[in-house]
Amino acid sequence: GAVVSQHPSWVICKSGTSVKIECRSLDFQATTMFWYRQFPKQSLMLMATSNEGSKATYEQGVEKDKFLINHASLTLSTLTVTSAHPEDSSFYICSAKVDRAGSQPQHFGDGTRLSIL
Amino acid sequence: GQNIDQPTEMTATEGAIVQINCTYQTSGFNGLFWYQQHAGEAPTFLSYNVLDGLEEKGRFSSFLSRSKGYSYLLLKELQMKDSASYLCAVWDSNYQLIWGAGTKLIIKP
């Protein structure tokens, strides 16, 4: 159980394009989802925490107007990279918090590799 | 501030044993996690420790000492597929997950 689906897995697009990434919890309800970014050979960097029905909480240094997060339902959160530029090229990973004690804090999607030309 | 330290890179031989250490200084503690991440993939869960001691799960074991702020991940009978990054993460008092930078493990034949 606790499967998280992330789509698309790979995006290549031109500079200036906006890209939407979806994160779905398939068999559970996720009141909290997390969005991470990972540059090559670096660890995960938390970008924002997404709570269903409320505004996302962004980490320091993350532009909320550039990285739009919507968590409209208990099973879906979306990250939109607006007017993407080459420096936004990265591996974006979502995760969903499972609201039960013990074992795992978060279940991860498979990630989205974003390449901006 | 909150800090998690683990070695940047380690090298080991196929069939051998390797121990990856993690030390942490966080505002509160609600558990420590180890994740494995292969290049280009999302992390996958390996273990969770909240009480002191050793948790064994097949070839992988994880140890925790809360008084020392210390954990290690022990990998036995290393296989080439174990080449990956291993991430240590701690749940702080607010259940925020604090991530270490990861240890890249290189397995040689």
Side-chain angles (χ1 to χ4, degrees):
Chain A
V3 176
V4 175
S5 173
Q6 186 173 343
H7 178 81
S9 57
W10 202 302
V11 180
I12 301 174
C13 58
K14 295 180 179 179
S15 183
T17 306
S18 291
V19 178
K20 180 185 281 188
I21 303 170
E22 292 188 350
C23 182
R24 294 180 184 273
S25 57
L26 296 185
D27 52 358
F28 67 101
Q29 293 182 333
T31 55
T32 304
M33 289 186 173
F34 305 90
W35 287 96
Y36 292 89
R37 180 168 53 183
Q38 187 176 35
F39 292 106
K41 299 184 180 181
Q42 295 187 24
S43 187
L44 299 171
M45 290 176 53
L46 180 65
M47 297 176 66
T49 301
S50 169
N51 294 296
E52 186 268 337
S54 63
K55 291 184 178 180
T57 302
Y58 290 81
E59 296 299 302
Q60 192 172 8
V62 178
E63 300 176 59
K64 59 181 66 177
D65 293 332
K66 181 167 185 66
F67 298 99
L68 302 178
I69 292 173
N70 184 282
H71 194 160
S73 77
L74 287 171
T75 60
L76 174 65
S77 176
T78 61
L79 167 68
T80 301
V81 183
T82 61
S83 186
H85 288 95
E87 59 266 29
D88 298 322
S89 298
S90 187
F91 190 47
Y92 292 85
I93 310 173
C94 74
S95 69
K97 181 180 177 184
V98 181
D99 291 324
R100 59 174 180 265
S103 65
Q104 301 189 44
Q106 300 174 21
H107 290 263
F108 287 90
D110 289 335
T112 298
R113 188 161 301 283
L114 177 61
S115 296
I116 307 299
L117 306 177
Chain B
Q2 311 211 80
N3 192 51
I4 295 181
D5 287 317
Q6 48 181 134
T8 304
E9 187 173 297
M10 299 182 70
T11 301
T13 305
E14 189 177 16
I17 299 173
V18 71
Q19 177 175 311
I20 303 174
N21 296 324
C22 170
T23 58
Y24 62 90
Q25 296 166 318
T26 56
S27 54
F29 177 85
N30 280 301
L32 184 143
F33 304 85
W34 284 96
Y35 283 84
Q36 180 191 61
Q37 186 179 25
H38 285 100
E41 299 180 10
T44 56
F45 170 78
L46 289 179
S47 67
Y48 168 66
N49 293 68
V50 67
L51 299 176
D52 289 350
L54 185 68
E55 294 277 345
E56 297 187 72
K57 192 183 293 185
R59 293 189 298 115
F60 293 5
S61 302
S62 57
F63 171 83
L64 174 67
S65 169
R66 289 172 297 172
S67 62
K68 295 182 179 178
Y70 167 70
S71 172
Y72 67 72
L73 180 69
L74 190 71
L75 293 78
K76 302 176 184 177
E77 301 171 18
L78 286 170
Q79 301 175 10
M80 297 303 294
K81 66 179 183 180
D82 296 330
S83 292
S85 288
Y86 291 85
L87 307 173
C88 173
V90 171
W91 245 345
D92 69 7
S93 58
N94 295 319
Y95 287 93
Q96 296 294 319
L97 200 56
I98 313 300
W99 292 91
T103 298
K104 182 179 180 180
L105 178 63
I106 299 169
I107 309 297
K108 295 185 175 180

